[in-house]
Amino acid sequence: WEDATKKAVKHASKSVKNIRSVYVQDQSASVKDGEVVDFRVNLKITFEVN
């Protein structure tokens, strides 16, 4: 979950400046053939507007 959150913040920071915090609303994982293939997070991102 930590890696998924970091990737989401990195992606959002390309278009949203001054990110201050994130709130993880939901977590999930995708499974294929009995193996976890990826992790997902649904976030709220807090940022400052100047």
Side-chain angles (χ1 to χ4, degrees):
W1 313 115
E2 183 179 333
D3 190 44
T5 302
K6 287 179 180 181
K7 286 180 181 181
V9 170
K10 186 174 182 177
H11 183 76
S13 68
K14 293 177 184 177
S15 60
V16 178
K17 304 301 177 202
N18 301 318
I19 294 175
R20 298 293 179 223
S21 65
V22 295
Y23 171 73
V24 178
Q25 289 185 296
D26 190 30
Q27 304 172 10
S28 62
S30 297
V31 177
K32 183 176 182 180
D33 298 325
E35 298 287 330
V36 174
V37 292
D38 64 14
F39 294 91
R40 299 176 183 172
V41 291
N42 185 3
L43 304 171
K44 282 188 175 184
I45 296 177
T46 304
F47 57 97
E48 182 179 327
V49 177
N50 291 326

